[in-house]
Amino acid sequence: MTTALRVVVADDQALVRAGFRMILTADGIEVVAEATNGAEAVDAVRRHRPDVVLMDIRMPEMDGLAATRQILSGTGAAPRVIMLTTFDLDHYVYAALTAGASGFLLKDVTPEHLVNAVRLVRDGDAMLAPAITRRLVERFAQRDADVPVVHRDLSVLTPRELEVLGLLAHGLSNSELAGRLHLSEATVKTHVARILAKLGLRDRVQAVVVAYRTGLVNP
């Protein structure tokens, strides 16, 4: 039997937390804790060990970016973090992605999209919303000196893996990649896993950032 998916919701707006809890609970996802700021979120993660954290990027006392860095820098298995934002172009969201967050969502996300995103990242994928993520990365990847990113050596990748990475950077899903490359989804997943392993990356979001920062894909 599949273990119940456990989530922490961190947002300083009570209505947002209540709405997300209602949506997730209705779909069988357990909300194990709520937090009103980043410090509470870090504490909730330590106490409850959730699979996924929905993290508002702007909160009092400690913002979501600082909280994400603390959560993902700890030892042991870390949860996946999905950043929440009101705006579809937010400097801090890009910084969160480079810190290891597995993607981000707008707060007006549809219930179906919210549930799918949480399940997606729990299963080891990353939440890439192409229309938003791509614009963010294109905007900041080449000129944001304040966000350090280790440049990976892409020479370790095969020509096919380079091709897959380039398509990932444009936000294609596994099914879209399979269709474009005339491969099975299982084969695509294998290629993606090898890319992440060879480059020492956490997930697809970091792969997108590296693709832009190394110049494999240009804005």
Side-chain angles (χ1 to χ4, degrees):
M1 190 170 90
T2 303
T3 304
L5 203 167
R6 294 160 51 82
V7 175
V8 165
V9 178
D11 195 292
D12 60 340
Q13 298 179 54
L15 285 176
V16 172
R17 297 195 309 273
F20 280 13
R21 175 185 282 275
M22 181 178 65
I23 292 168
L24 295 172
T25 301
D27 209 81
I29 296 171
E30 182 181 3
V31 177
V32 295
E34 296 180 14
T36 63
N37 58 55
E40 289 182 7
V42 172
D43 182 63
V45 168
R46 288 172 178 163
R47 286 188 292 111
H48 297 281
R49 299 187 179 278
D51 301 296
V52 178
V53 181
L54 291 171
M55 180 81 75
D56 185 12
I57 203 151
R58 291 174 175 169
M59 292 182 289
E61 297 185 41
M62 179 190 291
D63 65 19
L65 178 57
T68 296
R69 285 177 172 154
Q70 281 199 30
I71 290 169
L72 298 181
S73 65
T75 58
R80 296 298 177 122
V81 177
I82 299 177
M83 304 304 300
L84 303 172
T85 181
T86 305
F87 308 102
D88 67 355
L89 279 179
D90 190 326
H91 172 91
Y92 298 104
V93 176
Y94 176 75
L97 299 185
T98 66
S102 294
F104 65 96
L105 294 170
L106 297 181
K107 289 188 182 181
D108 62 359
V109 62
T110 65
E112 181 182 11
H113 196 181
L114 174 65
V115 169
N116 288 342
V118 169
R119 294 193 183 282
L120 187 67
V121 299
R122 193 278 298 269
D123 292 338
D125 211 329
M127 180 53 227
L128 285 173
I132 302 171
T133 304
R134 186 165 63 247
R135 288 207 311 274
L136 252 170
V137 176
E138 288 174 354
R139 179 174 175 180
F140 294 112
Q142 298 298 331
R143 52 187 170 177
D144 192 345
D146 296 329
V147 181
V149 174
V150 177
H151 286 256
R152 301 318 204 265
D153 181 6
L154 300 186
S155 67
V156 299
L157 302 181
T158 66
R160 175 63 93 182
E161 289 165 352
L162 283 170
E163 185 178 16
V164 170
L165 179 57
L167 293 174
L168 277 183
H170 289 95
L172 271 66
S173 66
N174 282 347
S175 61
E176 290 168 335
L177 280 166
R180 180 74 65 89
L181 299 174
H182 305 291
L183 300 171
S184 69
E185 283 197 46
T187 300
V188 167
K189 288 180 180 179
T190 298
H191 282 310
V192 172
R194 286 176 178 168
I195 290 168
L196 300 183
K198 287 182 177 181
L199 298 181
L201 302 174
R202 180 180 174 87
D203 55 34
R204 296 162 72 107
V205 170
Q206 289 191 330
V208 171
V209 174
V210 167
Y212 279 95
R213 293 299 290 269
T214 57
L216 176 66
V217 176
N218 295 311

